[in-house]
Every structure is written in structure tokens, then in C-alpha cells.
Amino acid sequence: MFWGFKNKLLIVYLFFSRKTIKFLEIFLLNKIFQPHFGFRSPSPINSVNIKFQYRYSHTLCVENRLNFLLSVLFTALFFFYDSADEEPTSQSDHSEIQGTLKTLASKLDDLSTCNDLIAKHGAALQRSLSELETLRVPLEGGEKIKAVNERATLFRITSNAMINACRDFLDLAESHSRRWQRVLQHEREQRTHLEETIEQLAKQHNSLERAWREAPAHAVNTPNTPTTDKGVSERPRKEEASDEDEDTEYFDAMEDSPAFITVTATDPSQHRSTSSPFNPKMKSLSTTFDEQQTESKELQPHRKRRTQIPEKPNYSLNLWSIMKNCIGKELSKIPMPVNFNEPLSMLQRLTEDLEYHELLDKAARCENSLEQMCLVAAFSVSSYSTTVHRTAKPFNPLLGETYELDRLEEFGYRSLCEQVSHHPPAAAHHVMSQRGWTLWQEITIASKFRGKYLSIMPLGAIHLQFHASGNHYVWRKVTSTVHNIIVGKLWIDQSGDIDIVNHRTKETCQLKFSPYSYFSREVPRKVTGVVKDSDGQAHYILSGTWDDKMESAKIVQSSRGSSSSEGKQKTVYQTLTPKLLWKKYPLPENAENMYYFSSLALTLNEEEEGVCWTDSRLRPDQQLMEAGRWDEANVEKQRLEEKQRATRRRREAEASKAIDEGQDFEGYRPLWFHQRTDEMTGETIYVYKGGYWEAKERQEWSMCPDIF
């Protein structure tokens, strides 16, 4: 509608002021008739100097007001119907139709409000007219007053009829919405059927083309056919791009550029002897997952890690006890019970990204940067595989809290996390591997509660650098959404895009995490991606799910296809058989009673000798919760949080005192990380400054704060 609800109230209010009739006339000319009919008032509104002189009798003023109000009301009705009729059949989704009906209902409510105000002030107007009839006026004046009274009565009747007509219009729109939905559902089914038909035609076309190409190949198969140094004939190699089996795969669009379709091409006789038909010197991605497992099993751990923790107790959540503890307290001081937590801190959850570190070990041995990009992309997806059943919240780390994971002897890497800021909460993470890579990141968590679900948005970039090649990869995490916060069973979804950039070669990979939709026919938790070189040419197609596996398929040929239903032209990519990059490890036995922890997560709270006394595995409330003593854990958690608040108040008092005395005050500084400007992104982030592992060797922790 052209006017908002506030503007309507303003018009009704101004209607009862004598000196504003001229203002309203100019307002209507400028705001309504001029844009739609080309009329224009003599002067702009902001320069009008309204000087209204009382030239008419009271009766004539009442009549003029009635006429003016009628014009305003019917103008509003005109815009109501004008906005209500805007493209009702262009809505293509049930939610959009419902939104349109809600808008119509809202506009009807606005008109009803105006009608109530008209009825109220109209009744007052009639009372005033009745009082005028009792006065001694000439006969002609009495007849005029009766005529105005009759007009006021007709005005009220007309406004009521208008509101009823609008209500009938809304009911009619609601009844027709069901027919619209049936028509739209029929159109959707027809479009789906058409897409399936086109897909079958594409399969048959490629099968016929393959048969046509194979026929002359057998007829001209002579010893004089030129061969390469590997003994494979030249002709079949050139025809690899057009070969395709009947298991053709089609992928939807996953970027703003034109959508694409991938067609799998397989011919065992041509691809059995070499892993990459275009560059035999490159290390191939064709290593199967079984070979990866065999490779990892060759490294027997020097220490037997635990495989289970105490089972999660079945404690009922007493909401009244939580509310009772909240009475009279500030929001920041309300303790949240450990019933909502899992016995791990956020620092340990960051460390869980290393669950599939062998992907980076393999990537470090890749000689081809594009294949390396595929493995890095699989690693970025694998970090979400542990979240599919993990709906509990990790403990918020205390300021200065650290967590180390030393797997140097077993897997060749060391990891260190530190909580570097409390408001906003930020954690810095650094991993160094003897197998040729270094990873670091600073993550700040931002969250928004949207009624039925909670959106968790990790802020900050993840950096990965390989020592041998110098390839430096940067990417950011996607948004995690926890659904059914109020009612129902909690479940987690990941959605958004991950753009991985190799800053040395300018190669990119865009991964799309498709959000879950009840009406979608796609595989739940689907992830698709394309690996491109510095010129924007696609080389690999990635596909899979973030909770199970990822595959890569090398592109051998691309061509422009027909336009999609959205009007975009699709690109058809013909690929080799997809190769498995990553597959999720099965959960340990009885994981459902151990917070759905993975094999790595079960070991994160193991006792370690010589760790810093700020380490998360030494946090008392977390230890009590893992042992199943939740009541004691709640008491300990409240004590730790109050101790942290007291430390912050003392630090703020010292800062205030230093400012009053004109002295410089140095705020909190992390022990093991310092701020630096990143050369790649230009952001100021916390990076590891060294010294932790040397301090561990000396067992020198005197500089560490007492936070527990």
C-alpha cells in the first residue's frame, strides 16, 4: 500500500485540525495525483506557508471536511486494490502466497482501524450537528444542517460497506490460493517430468555418439596406429572426452555463473594403465579409501588411547530450578546448567578439525596444485562430519585457557589453542606438522537467535601452508544452524559457501553446502564444488555430503548446453569416474550414550603429563561433568565464572586508576599468541609467537595465570 499505517493515523488526526486542510490537499497532489496522473501542486510541501483564513461558516467547513475525508478514503481504497492485484499469479511458492495473504490481511486491518476512527469521529460530528439543530437558526440554515447530517450518516454506511467489501475480497483470495497451489504444483511436476525426459535424451544421445565412434575405431584398428610412450594408442586417448557410460550423473547449479551438468566417462581399457591421461607425472587422486586406511594403519601409535568415557547420565532438566536461579540477577550473571553442554570446551572442538589430518599429509605429497586443492577442499568439509549428531553446546573457554594436542610421535603434528579474548569470545589455533604443512586460524563465534532456530556464524579465516611448494590456502567456515530450539528434537544443518583460494597460484575452489529442504529431492547435507585454475577454467568437480564422504571427478571436456528453467545456460562437463577423496570414520561402539563423540573426541580429555595448568582437560567443571557428577559440575561452573568476573573487574579498576593518574595501562595480552596483520587477507589476527613447547620441556609455567 502507498501509505503506511502511521501515515493513515496522521491523516485522520490532521483531519480534525482546521488549519491543515490546505496542507493535506497539497500532500495528496504531490504524493498521489502527481506521480500517477501528472498533477502538481503550486509549490512544494516543504515550502508551503499555510495561512488558512476562516472564511466560511461552521456548517460549510463540516461539509468540506466530509467531502475531503471521502476523497481520502476512496483514494486509500484505490491503492488497496491496486497493490492487492499486483501479479497474484506470479508467486511460485507456498510461502510467498501465504505472505501475500498476510499482507492483504494487514492492509485490511489498517483500513479497519481507519474505519473505527471514522466511526468515532463521525458519531461526534453527528452529535454536534444535532446540537446545531436545537439552536435558533433561519429555516434555510436548518435545512442545510439536516442535509449535512444525512450525508454524515451515509458516509458511515459507505465506509462500513467498504470494509465489508475488503473482507470479502480477502476471503476470496484465501479460497483461490488453494487453486493457485494446485496449479503451481502441477506446473512443478510438469517441469520435473520435462527435466527427466531431457536427461534421458542426453543419455541416449551420448550412447549413440559413443557407439558411432567405437564402430570406426574397430574397423581401423591396425598396427600402424600411432602410440604414445606408454603404449596407449593415440586415437582412443583423443576420444576419451566423448566416452560415457549409462550411469550419467547430473549436478545442479552451485554458483552464480551458468549451471553445469557433469557426465561420467569411463573406459577401463583406456584408463587402467595410467592414473592421469593428461599428465602421467602427476600424483593421482585415484588412491582408494582402503589404501588410505592401510597407510594410516602402518603407523602404530606409541600409546594406547582410551576408547570410551563414562556414559551420559539421564538427568531430567528442571526448568523451574533454572528460573529460580535467575530471579534478581543480571542477564550476564545467569548460570547456564551443564545439562546443555558436552564435556568438551570450544578449544577442543576446534582441535577436532584435525580428525582427518591424513588428508593434509597426502596433499603435502601432491606435485599438482589442482589435485592438492581437491584434498584441501575435502579436509575443509570433513571438519563438519562430527557435528551431525552433536547438538550439545561445548563449554565456553575462560580467558587465558589453553588446549594442547601433542601427536608428534604418532601422526607428526602438534596443536595448540588459546582463548585470546572473552568479549567478543575469540580463540586462536596453531598446528605444525612434520609432514610438510602448517595450519592456523582465529575464530570468533557470532550467533543469532531467530525464534525456532539458532544461527552460529564462525568469523575469521583459516590458513594452510605447505612447506615444499609454498602454496598458501585461505578459506572461511559456513553457517551452522540448530533447529527446533523451542519445541522438537534438535538437529543441525550446515549451509553457505566456502571459497578456497590458493594465493600463490590464484587457483580457486567454491564449495556449496545446500541447506536442508523438506520439499527438495536432493540428497540431504549435499556439498558440490568446482576447482578452477587461475584463468577460471574448471578442472575438477567435487560432490558428496558433509556427514559421509567427498569425491572428485576430473573434467575432460566441457560444452555449452541448453538453457535451464531459470533462463541460465548450463555447461555440460564430461568427467572421468569419480574418485573417493574422503570418507567418514564410523562412530565408536555405544557412541549414542557418550555424547556421539568420535574416536578422536574420546581422547581429548585424557590425562597428559606436563601440560600447562590452564589446559582445558584440567578444568574442574568439565571433569565433573564427564564423570557424571552434574550437580557438582554446576556448582563448580558457577564458581569459575564468578572468579573470571572478579578478575575482569579488578583489571577494569586498574585500567581506570591508571587513566586517572595519567599512566599507560597495558590490557590483557595472550601468552602464546600475538596480533599481526595478515599479508594475504589484510586482517589483524592472532598468530602463534612460539615458546609453548619449549616451556613444556622445561616445565616452566610460572608465567601462566591461575584461572581454575
Side-chain angles (χ1 to χ4, degrees):
M1 187 180 291
F2 185 82
W3 293 321
F5 178 67
K6 294 183 179 179
N7 292 333
K8 296 175 185 176
L9 293 181
L10 178 62
I11 289 176
V12 176
Y13 173 77
L14 293 178
F15 162 70
F16 291 96
S17 176
R18 296 178 179 176
K19 297 183 179 181
T20 55
I21 295 178
K22 187 64 176 179
F23 177 85
L24 289 172
E25 291 174 351
I26 298 175
F27 173 81
L28 287 174
L29 286 173
N30 282 336
K31 294 298 184 181
I32 297 178
F33 297 105
Q34 191 274 332
H36 291 274
F37 304 105
F39 298 154
R40 181 75 179 176
S41 63
S43 60
I45 291 179
N46 55 7
S47 63
V48 172
N49 183 11
I50 300 175
K51 295 182 178 179
F52 182 76
Q53 308 234 348
Y54 189 73
R55 300 178 179 177
Y56 306 101
S57 65
H58 179 71
T59 303
L60 293 178
C61 287
V62 170
E63 184 178 4
N64 291 337
R65 289 182 184 181
L66 285 173
N67 292 332
F68 174 74
L69 186 57
L70 274 171
S71 66
V72 171
L73 195 57
F74 281 104
T75 304
L77 180 62
F78 167 77
F79 281 103
F80 173 82
Y81 278 99
D82 182 67
S83 60
D85 292 335
E86 289 180 356
E87 299 181 1
T89 58
S90 65
Q91 307 297 334
S92 60
D93 188 78
H94 175 72
S95 61
E96 294 181 1
I97 295 175
Q98 296 299 326
T100 303
L101 294 176
K102 289 180 180 178
T103 303
L104 293 176
S106 175
K107 294 176 180 179
L108 181 60
D109 292 340
D110 293 347
L111 288 175
S112 299
T113 303
C114 292
N115 181 63
D116 295 338
L117 292 173
I118 291 170
K120 175 183 176 182
H121 295 293
L125 178 61
Q126 287 183 340
R127 288 195 299 270
S128 300
L129 293 173
S130 299
E131 294 174 358
L132 286 176
E133 290 180 356
T134 60
L135 299 177
R136 294 180 179 179
V137 294
L139 181 60
E140 182 180 355
E143 293 178 355
K144 190 68 174 179
I145 291 175
K146 289 182 180 179
V148 172
N149 197 357
E150 291 176 357
R151 289 190 180 185
T153 303
L154 290 174
F155 172 74
R156 293 183 59 189
I157 295 173
T158 304
S159 63
N160 290 333
M162 181 195 67
I163 296 299
N164 293 333
C166 293
R167 186 174 290 108
D168 294 340
F169 172 78
L170 181 62
D171 295 339
L172 183 63
E174 289 179 347
S175 63
H176 278 272
S177 67
R178 301 184 184 92
R179 182 176 61 85
W180 293 344
Q181 293 177 26
R182 289 195 299 269
V183 173
L184 292 173
Q185 180 63 27
H186 176 72
E187 293 294 334
R188 189 179 295 109
E189 292 175 355
Q190 291 294 326
R191 186 184 66 180
T192 303
H193 178 69
L194 180 61
E195 291 177 351
E196 292 176 351
T197 303
I198 293 175
E199 181 179 342
Q200 293 296 328
L201 288 174
K203 290 180 180 179
Q204 295 175 8
H205 171 76
N206 282 277
S207 299
L208 291 173
E209 183 181 3
R210 181 184 58 187
W212 179 81
R213 290 180 179 273
E214 287 178 353
H218 290 293
V220 193
N221 189 10
T222 62
N224 296 328
T225 302
T227 59
T228 62
D229 55 349
K230 295 294 183 179
V232 183
S233 66
E234 186 72 20
R235 181 182 180 88
R237 179 163 299 188
K238 291 181 180 179
E239 295 174 357
E240 285 175 342
S242 61
D243 290 345
E244 178 186 357
D245 61 4
E246 295 181 356
D247 297 329
T248 306
E249 295 187 48
Y250 293 86
F251 292 84
D252 291 338
M254 38 67 64
E255 55 184 344
D256 293 335
S257 59
F260 61 87
I261 301 175
T262 61
V263 180
T264 306
T266 57
D267 191 343
S269 64
Q270 297 177 15
H271 305 302
R272 185 177 299 152
S273 61
T274 177
S275 59
S276 177
F278 297 95
N279 191 351
K281 297 182 179 180
M282 290 192 286
K283 292 187 177 181
S284 175
L285 291 175
S286 60
T287 305
T288 62
F289 181 67
D290 294 334
E291 294 174 352
Q292 296 178 20
Q293 286 185 319
T294 303
E295 182 180 353
S296 61
K297 289 179 180 179
E298 292 176 357
L299 297 173
Q300 297 296 331
H302 295 266
R303 171 183 172 181
K304 185 177 181 180
R305 301 289 177 179
R306 67 179 185 179
T307 58
Q308 61 182 4
I309 60 174
E311 293 188 2
K312 178 182 179 180
N314 188 17
Y315 284 158
S316 60
L317 185 60
N318 191 345
L319 294 178
W320 169 244
S321 63
I322 300 176
M323 297 173 62
K324 182 176 62 177
N325 293 332
C326 299
I327 297 175
K329 293 185 178 180
E330 297 179 7
L331 185 62
S332 61
K333 296 183 179 180
I334 296 176
M336 295 301 295
V338 298
N339 305 58
F340 298 102
N341 291 73
E342 62 180 13
L344 290 178
S345 73
M346 190 62 197
L347 303 181
Q348 292 168 306
R349 288 294 294 268
L350 279 180
T351 307
E352 284 191 68
D353 289 354
L354 303 174
E355 177 95 25
Y356 300 94
H357 61 88
E358 65 271 7
L359 291 172
L360 300 184
D361 296 341
K362 184 180 179 183
R365 300 192 298 270
C366 273
E367 297 178 1
N368 179 264
S369 58
L370 292 172
E371 294 185 355
Q372 189 179 73
M373 174 70 83
C374 293
L375 291 168
V376 172
F379 174 78
S380 67
V381 175
S382 69
S383 62
Y384 297 98
S385 62
T386 62
T387 66
V388 61
H389 300 295
R390 303 272 290 277
T391 57
K393 171 183 174 294
F395 280 79
N396 291 330
L398 304 173
L399 186 62
E401 185 174 337
T402 60
Y403 182 76
E404 69 160 72
L405 187 67
D406 191 350
R407 295 290 192 267
L408 192 64
E409 295 182 356
E410 301 169 63
F411 304 115
Y413 70 85
R414 279 175 166 175
S415 170
L416 176 66
C417 292
E418 181 179 5
Q419 187 75 2
V420 296
S421 173
H422 190 64
H423 291 293
H429 185 203
H430 183 269
V431 190
M432 184 180 65
S433 173
Q434 292 181 340
R435 299 179 183 176
W437 54 270
T438 301
L439 182 144
W440 67 95
Q441 61 179 320
E442 178 193 338
I443 297 296
T444 301
I445 301 297
S447 60
K448 289 184 179 180
F449 179 64
R450 304 180 185 272
K452 294 183 179 181
Y453 61 92
L454 177 69
S455 296
I456 303 171
M457 295 153 287
L459 308 177
I462 304 174
H463 296 256
L464 173 64
Q465 187 171 21
F466 291 98
H467 305 162
S469 62
N471 289 334
H472 189 148
Y473 297 88
V474 180
W475 71 92
R476 300 175 188 273
K477 291 181 176 289
V478 297
T479 299
S480 301
T481 306
V482 184
H483 294 269
N484 295 341
I485 294 293
I486 304 299
V487 178
K489 184 179 179 181
L490 294 175
W491 60 280
I492 291 181
D493 193 22
Q494 315 289 347
S495 60
D497 295 338
I498 292 181
D499 294 322
I500 307 176
V501 180
N502 184 344
H503 284 273
R504 190 184 73 85
T505 63
K506 306 304 179 183
E507 296 163 348
T508 60
C509 173
Q510 184 184 34
L511 295 171
K512 180 178 179 61
F513 288 65
S514 301
Y516 174 79
S517 175
Y518 180 80
F519 301 100
S520 175
R521 300 192 307 162
E522 298 290 346
V523 178
R525 310 180 185 95
K526 181 179 178 181
V527 181
T528 54
V530 176
V531 176
K532 299 180 179 180
D533 59 19
S534 57
D535 296 327
Q537 182 180 357
H539 289 265
Y540 286 94
I541 296 294
L542 305 180
S543 61
T545 58
W546 54 264
D547 67 327
D548 185 23
K549 65 179 181 179
M550 285 296 294
E551 296 177 336
S552 70
K554 186 174 180 60
I555 299 173
V556 294
Q557 186 179 3
S558 63
S559 61
R560 291 290 181 181
S562 59
S563 299
S564 64
S565 58
E566 292 82 6
K568 295 182 178 180
Q569 191 177 25
K570 290 186 177 181
T571 301
V572 179
Y573 291 129
Q574 193 172 22
T575 66
L576 301 180
T577 305
K579 305 299 181 182
L580 188 64
L581 294 174
W582 158 77
K583 186 172 179 60
K584 180 185 176 183
Y585 296 142
L587 289 175
E589 185 180 358
N590 197 31
E592 64 276 6
N593 295 321
M594 297 185 296
Y595 309 92
Y596 287 98
F597 280 177
S598 63
S599 299
L600 175 62
L602 290 174
T603 67
L604 295 181
N605 275 332
E606 274 187 318
E607 293 184 3
E608 295 282 348
E609 295 182 359
V611 299
C612 180
W613 58 53
T614 59
D615 198 278
S616 297
R617 54 172 61 88
L618 302 179
R619 182 166 172 163
D621 54 350
Q622 195 170 293
Q623 290 180 334
L624 290 170
M625 181 186 180
E626 184 180 88
R629 299 154 61 182
W630 284 17
D631 293 335
E632 299 176 54
N634 281 322
V635 175
E636 193 64 26
K637 181 174 181 289
Q638 189 173 356
R639 181 190 69 82
L640 291 175
E641 292 174 352
E642 186 56 38
K643 182 177 181 179
Q644 181 173 236
R645 294 189 191 101
T647 303
R648 186 177 69 251
R649 288 193 295 268
R650 184 175 65 253
R651 190 177 295 114
E652 291 174 353
E654 293 175 355
S656 178
K657 181 180 178 181
I659 293 174
D660 294 340
E661 295 177 355
Q663 300 178 359
D664 294 334
F665 178 78
E666 185 177 358
Y668 176 80
R669 286 192 176 184
L671 281 178
W672 314 112
F673 290 82
H674 56 181
Q675 283 187 320
R676 291 292 183 268
T677 300
D678 183 72
E679 298 179 356
M680 300 296 176
T681 63
E683 300 175 347
T684 301
I685 63 172
Y686 281 93
V687 296
Y688 180 59
K689 65 181 180 181
Y692 179 86
W693 304 107
E694 293 78 7
K696 182 180 180 181
E697 292 179 1
R698 301 190 307 266
Q699 283 299 293
E700 179 59 43
W701 306 117
S702 58
M703 76 292 289
C704 300
D706 179 17
I707 59 176
F708 298 148

